[in-house]
């Protein structure tokens, strides 16, 4: 039973005075919420954090949601909205390219490099460079292959540029669209920890195509074995970037669907490489001498008659 | 208002000013009216401006004349002449020939627009038409290279002529890229200069490739 005194309204002294009287009392302090460090300005992360992000993803994805809302606040019909997609510096683009060429096993490309700042500069200009590289290299390789033949007349094959452009831009933009739609659909059925925005998927696909640029230049070498070895090598590198990015997004799903998704990603990537090699680069023919009529055939004909 | 009842304007206060309103102030435009001058003067003024810009491209110093008074006459003339000179090669093949007239046009103008948009999206301070103007005028060395290539091809189309054409095209490509970079690089944020210069490099590389691979029928 409470004493009557306890029920009376009590005046409490100022906190400082109370604390001075009783220094050991426990205190609770409520401060202004500290500013969330914008991840787009924090370039260096502690190394240990990467593992947690990879495993949990919750902390970063919450922050990602928050910062995505903070960043792209301009309405979509203004120029500033599209400027937010080009908010990258030179060294950031170079870092992302390096990350796509040397995939670190276990590290996710999106988490490591994109960091809620997807850009459209990389995908667009890497695709443009790839289009012209493939067209020019194909033209050069055909020129060298057919060089000695008397019936060969060099043509610049300019039509192939438009075909290359259509193919590569369709691959780099429509396949991410389909993949994003598929992942969103699966997300509604299975609760995934990791989910990517459409621009992040476009970013991964765009940067993963970078390895094909030096590959296309090296495909000028007219040796079939060399070309296939190069293709396998670049397919492994860029395929592994894609697989390591998208495996965390589907691994919580039904096993077969997860494997089918990742398999489709790799197969489409391989189809692009094989298709480009087959269409733009003529097969290097080996020069056989004109087939000699076997001598014994003539002798048998003579002996018969 | 009670306190003002006994205020009277004394004749000691001087009243100054003009009652008449001045008729027709002399604005600078009136002295520069182009309505009364002969047509020849009007045309020569524009031609001189275009010619001065060509000279600026040939000796790219950091001057702002190219940027300040942009015009698109020069780029149009250069683009049309380059596209015309790229015709007449491999005309019999349907698919695998050189670029058509419309293709050259589209590549140059669409390419210039995309590069301008790219530099503006990256935070550049140059205006849209100024950038188009600079990129168009800097096609001039490559047009000169095309002219030289056609003249060399008239003489013959062997290995020697190819080497001459290769050297000329490479030199003019470097000149174009350096000239346009000299004009455009200053208006970019300092840590994104390479991001803006690379598409310009790609643009002139594609045009150089079209010039180099031109083979007459």
């Amino acid at each position: 039973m409470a004493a009557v005194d306890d029920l009376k309204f009590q005046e409490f002294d100022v906190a400082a005075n109370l604390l001075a009287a009783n220094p050991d009392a426990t205190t609770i302090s409520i401060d202004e919420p500290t500013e969330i460090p914008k991840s787009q300005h924090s370039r260096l992360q502690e190394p240990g954090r990467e593992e947690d992000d990879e495993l949990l993803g919750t902390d970063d994805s919450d922050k990602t949601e928050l910062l995505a809302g903070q960043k792209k606040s301009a309405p979509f019909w203004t120029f500033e909205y599209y400027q937010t997609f080009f908010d990258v510096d030179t060294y950031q683009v170079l870092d992302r390219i390096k990350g796509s060429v040397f995939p670190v096993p276990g590290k996710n490309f999106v988490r490591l490099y994109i960091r809620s700042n997807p850009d459209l500069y990389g995908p667009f200009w890497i695709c443009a460079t790839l289009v012209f590289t493939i067209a020019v290299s194909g033209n050069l390789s055909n020129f060298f292959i057919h060089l000695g033949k008397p019936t060969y007349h060099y043509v610049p094959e300019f039509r192939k540029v438009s075909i290359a452009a259509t193919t590569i831009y369709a691959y780099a933009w429509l396949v991410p669209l389909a993949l994003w739609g598929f992942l969103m659909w699966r997300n509604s059925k299975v609760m995934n920890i990791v989910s990517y925005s459409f621009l992040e998927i476009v970013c991964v696909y765009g940067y993963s195509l970078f390895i094909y640029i030096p590959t296309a230049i090296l495909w000028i070498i007219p040796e079939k074995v060399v070309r296939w070895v190069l293709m396998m090598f670049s397919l492994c590198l860029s395929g592994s970037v894609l697989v390591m990015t998208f495996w965390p997004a589907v691994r919580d799903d039904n096993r077969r669907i997860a494997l089918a998704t990742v398999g489709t990603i790799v197969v489409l990537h391989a189809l692009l490489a094989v298709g480009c090699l087959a269409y733009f680069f003529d097969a290097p023919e080996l020069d056989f001498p004109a087939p000699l009529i076997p001598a014994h055939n003539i002798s048998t004909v003579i002996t018969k008659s | 208002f009670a306190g003002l009842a006994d205020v009277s304007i004394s004749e000691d206060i001087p009243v100054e000013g003009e009652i008449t309103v001045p008729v027709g102030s002399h604005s600078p435009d009136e002295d520069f009216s182009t309505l009364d001058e002969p047509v020849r003067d009007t045309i020569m003024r524009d031609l001189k401006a275009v010619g001065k810009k060509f000279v600026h491209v040939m000796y790219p110093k950091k001057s702002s004349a190219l940027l300040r008074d942009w015009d698109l006459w020069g780029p149009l003339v250069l683009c049309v002449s380059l596209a015309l000179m790229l015709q007449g090669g491999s005309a019999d093949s349907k698919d695998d020939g050189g670029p058509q007239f419309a293709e050259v046009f589209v590549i140059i103008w669409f390419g210039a627009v995309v590069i301008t948009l790219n530099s503006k999206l990256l935070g550049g301070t140059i205006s849209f038409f100024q950038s188009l103007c600079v990129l168009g005028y800097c096609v001039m060395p490559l047009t000169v290279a095309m002219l030289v290539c056609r003249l060399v091809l008239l003489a013959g189309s062997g290995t020697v002529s190819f080497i001459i054409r290769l050297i000329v095209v490479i030199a003019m490509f470097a000149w174009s890229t350096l000239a346009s970079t000299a004009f455009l690089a200053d208006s970019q944020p300092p840590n994104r200069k390479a991001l803006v210069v690379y598409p310009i490099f790609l643009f002139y590389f594609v045009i150089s490739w079209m010039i180099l691979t031109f083979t007459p029928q």
Side-chain angles (χ1 to χ4, degrees), chain A residues 79 82-83 86-90 93 121 124-125 128-129 132 136 139-140 153-160, chain B residues 95-100 103 107 114 118 120-123 191-192 194-195 198-199 202 206 209-210 213 215 217:
Chain A
F79 192 69
Y82 298 102
Q83 264 186 324
F86 282 77
D87 192 18
V88 278
D89 293 335
T90 308
V93 172
Y121 178 90
F124 182 77
W125 286 109
T129 311
F132 288 115
V136 167
N139 201 239
L140 269 180
H153 180 76
Y154 170 76
V155 283
E157 291 177 324
F158 196 75
R159 284 285 176 273
K160 293 200 169 172
Chain B
D95 279 338
D96 286 349
Q100 303 292 319
E103 284 171 344
I107 282 189
V114 166
N118 176 64
K120 283 186 79 71
L121 282 169
L122 281 171
N191 46 352
R192 295 182 183 180
L195 296 184
Y198 172 70
L202 187 64
V206 170
W209 176 256
M210 287 197 297
T213 61
T215 48
Q217 192 54 303

Side-chain angles (χ1 to χ4, degrees), chain B residues 8 10 20 52 56 66 89 94 106 123 132 134 141 152 170-171 175 194:
Chain B
S8 62
S10 119
T20 59
K52 203 155 57 154
H56 274 293
L66 205 68
K94 309 155 285 291
V106 161
L132 278 187
V134 168
V152 168
I170 289 181
W175 195 343

